[in-house]
Amino acid sequence: MSAAAVRRAPRRVVIVGAGMAAARLAEELRAGEPDPARLSITVLGAEAEEPYNRIMLSHAAAVSGAAGGATPVARLKPAGWWERHDITLRTSTPVAAIDRVTCEVELAGGERVGYDHLVLATGAAPRIPPVDGIRSPGGGLAPGVFTLRDAAGQIALTAHLAAHPGPVAIVGAGFIGLEVACALAAAGHDVVVVHPRAWPMNGCLDAGAGAVLVRSLAALGVRTVTDARATSWDGATLGLDDGEVRCRTVVLTAGSAPRADLARDAGLEVGHGVIVDDELTTSDPAISAIGDCAQHRGVVSGLVAPAWDQAVVLAARLSGTDPGARYSGGTRVTRLKAHGLDVIALGELAGDVYGSAGGDDEAVEVTTLCEPARGRYARVDVVAGHVAGAALIGHPEPIGILTQLYENALPVPDDVVSVILGRAEAVAAQTPSTMPAAAVVCRCNGVSKGDLVAAWTDGARDRDALAESTRAGTGCGGCSAAVDGICGWLAAAG
């Protein structure tokens, strides 16, 4: 059958999961094929909530706890949006099994839903470290222990903090753990972070950055205990392999694991996650996978921006707008944005600047600036004239241009120190007037300066309107200042 014939045929796309990747996929599918008679879209979510912004859960939990009441999650779509766009959204609807022979999914209650193409967007589950007493006799988490991967976890944590406002222990110092820690500290809680490695965010920062980060966290009221593992919990004390933390609340942020059980039980190829190719297709051509559950070229991203990129590619293929669309992988950009703390990591650092993998490697030019007392650290690794990796703490000035240089593989100016310091002659490319139209402003949503200019021309004349039109700023929020700057430039230009 030709691609055109496939394009005309009625199709049923069923999406399992109702997280941020699933919502973006459904939106892009309907934009690609507005006629529900040609393309029906069904989203099956296990949670009671409509799709919401998971990135904001730590903030919502902290604000709710400080206010003494529940703050609702930030829904991705306004009330009635799903109905208006002829997308069937079913919440509180867990999927129990996939029948690949009949092309149906079986719901927990026994109902079956047929599909022509099935998309797994089941996300990831929090990892529960092996700590004595961390689980209740029934297998759930013990009283006082929480994860923060979904709205239910946020609601439970909020209620507990209201009843037990004492110290909080965070187990795990990745970027999610530190976001939670900073949010709770800003809300007035005494916070201790326990991490088994030598420094926080060790997967993307070097030792120098880690040391500055520990000092910066302390200035925000967050104490960090490194090289320590949690070993026991009794409801009032979190035991460590060398010491203890007295607390009434423990939040587990020790990583996550792709939810791949459905795929595995259905006989699909599964590694760390559900294995997909560049078409985002699994070992069954009628089934795709995107987001935190998908493993592409050996990588499970765990970040929202690559998940949304995958959603755009898959929607183009399934709706017929671009049957040849392919996903080749995303760049590594991790940003921790908390009150009083700005950390960004790009790419991959070559190694310790003073070790054989860094400073002694003549192929890698390493530039570092370190001001621990001011909470500032910057390192940029350059290979063959291009940014290979960077780590920045307390240096917001060069983030825009370094991200552009890294993501677009552009040549790095000779004076890297000037770039880090944000000097005008080195960062002219990031000013609104000289920034290339193709420069990405909102990485979470892939929104370029050109997209913002086009939306402004179409009548979106402030940041809220631009966000509604382009989605800029609706992910992590780290691009808000850049969007404001472009708004000001466009307004001044008339």
Side-chain angles (χ1 to χ4, degrees):
M1 184 182 295
S2 69
V6 172
R7 174 73 174 80
R8 291 193 299 269
R11 303 193 65 192
R12 300 167 297 166
V13 174
V14 173
I15 305 169
V16 180
M20 298 176 74
R24 181 64 179 271
L25 175 61
E27 179 182 3
E28 296 289 340
L29 284 170
R30 182 53 73 225
E33 177 49 85
D35 186 353
R38 292 180 179 270
L39 181 64
S40 70
I41 306 168
T42 301
V43 180
L44 305 174
E47 293 186 61
E49 298 285 344
E50 292 188 2
Y52 55 88
N53 189 338
R54 295 181 190 275
I55 298 172
M56 299 302 293
L57 285 177
S58 59
H59 174 75
V63 170
S64 299
T71 296
V73 295
R75 289 187 177 181
L76 295 176
K77 300 298 178 186
W81 184 91
W82 301 92
E83 294 83 356
R84 289 195 302 273
H85 289 80
D86 294 301
I87 298 173
T88 300
L89 171 65
R90 298 180 61 176
T91 58
S92 301
T93 308
V95 173
I98 301 168
D99 189 331
R100 293 168 54 197
V101 175
T102 63
C103 289
E104 295 175 317
V105 294
E106 182 179 342
L107 307 185
E111 179 186 352
R112 285 178 167 250
V113 177
Y115 64 84
D116 294 315
H117 197 91
L118 179 67
V119 182
L120 301 178
T122 48
R127 292 189 184 276
I128 309 302
V131 177
D132 289 343
I134 208 75
R135 291 190 180 275
S136 66
L141 294 177
V145 181
F146 304 89
T147 59
L148 203 54
R149 293 285 305 189
D150 55 29
Q154 179 234 311
I155 292 169
L157 176 59
T158 295
H160 180 82
L161 288 173
H164 305 282
V168 179
I170 311 292
V171 178
F175 73 93
I176 293 178
L178 296 186
E179 284 180 353
V180 175
C182 291
L184 292 176
H189 296 279
D190 180 11
V191 180
V192 179
V193 177
V194 177
H195 192 59
R197 305 299 183 187
W199 62 84
M201 296 182 67
N202 57 283
C204 52
L205 300 182
D206 66 355
V212 173
L213 180 54
V214 169
R215 290 185 60 155
S216 298
L217 289 168
L220 296 175
V222 177
R223 183 164 66 93
T224 307
V225 180
T226 56
D227 283 323
R229 294 182 180 275
T231 58
S232 63
W233 167 250
D234 64 6
T237 302
L238 181 68
L240 310 180
D241 50 11
D242 183 16
E244 64 180 30
V245 176
R246 298 284 297 175
C247 58
R248 297 297 301 274
T249 308
V250 174
V251 182
L252 303 177
T253 58
S256 61
R259 297 183 189 271
D261 289 347
L262 268 178
R264 185 179 293 106
D265 293 344
L268 299 177
E269 186 178 2
V270 173
H272 183 50
V274 185
I275 295 176
V276 298
D277 58 19
D278 287 0
E279 295 183 347
L280 299 168
T281 303
T282 69
S283 53
D284 183 332
I287 303 176
S288 297
I290 62 172
D292 289 358
C293 72
Q295 178 180 330
H296 173 261
R297 297 187 182 183
V299 175
V300 178
S301 73
L303 299 172
V304 68
W308 280 352
D309 289 345
Q310 292 170 1
V312 171
V313 168
L314 184 57
R317 290 189 54 249
L318 296 181
S319 67
T321 58
D322 185 3
R326 299 291 186 273
Y327 177 74
S328 58
T331 52
R332 291 183 55 185
V333 179
T334 303
R335 186 168 190 180
L336 168 65
K337 184 78 173 174
H339 178 71
L341 182 63
D342 201 341
V343 182
I344 188 166
L346 308 175
E348 186 172 356
L349 299 178
D352 189 334
V353 65
Y354 300 113
S356 59
D360 292 344
D361 187 344
E362 295 182 358
V364 182
E365 298 177 12
V366 180
T367 303
T368 61
L369 294 177
C370 185
E371 300 175 279
R374 299 181 62 190
R376 289 161 65 89
Y377 180 90
R379 171 177 169 177
V380 179
D381 286 12
V382 176
V383 176
H386 297 85
V387 175
L392 304 169
I393 300 175
H395 272 284
E397 304 90 350
I399 287 176
I401 188 171
L402 279 174
T403 302
Q404 290 176 41
L405 293 173
Y406 168 65
E407 292 192 319
N408 298 294
L410 299 174
V412 179
D414 292 336
D415 189 354
V416 178
V417 172
S418 291
V419 176
I420 294 173
L421 294 177
R423 291 175 181 162
E425 64 272 17
V427 300
Q430 71 171 336
T431 63
S433 60
T434 57
M435 182 185 296
V440 176
V441 178
C442 174
R443 188 180 183 279
C444 287
N445 293 289
V447 182
S448 68
K449 172 194 167 183
D451 295 329
L452 292 171
V453 172
W456 180 279
T457 302
D458 289 341
R461 296 306 175 93
D462 57 35
R463 188 173 73 179
D464 290 342
L466 287 173
E468 183 175 353
S469 176
T470 67
R471 306 185 195 88
T474 60
C476 72
C479 65
S480 296
V483 175
D484 283 341
I486 291 173
C487 279
W489 167 67
L490 289 169

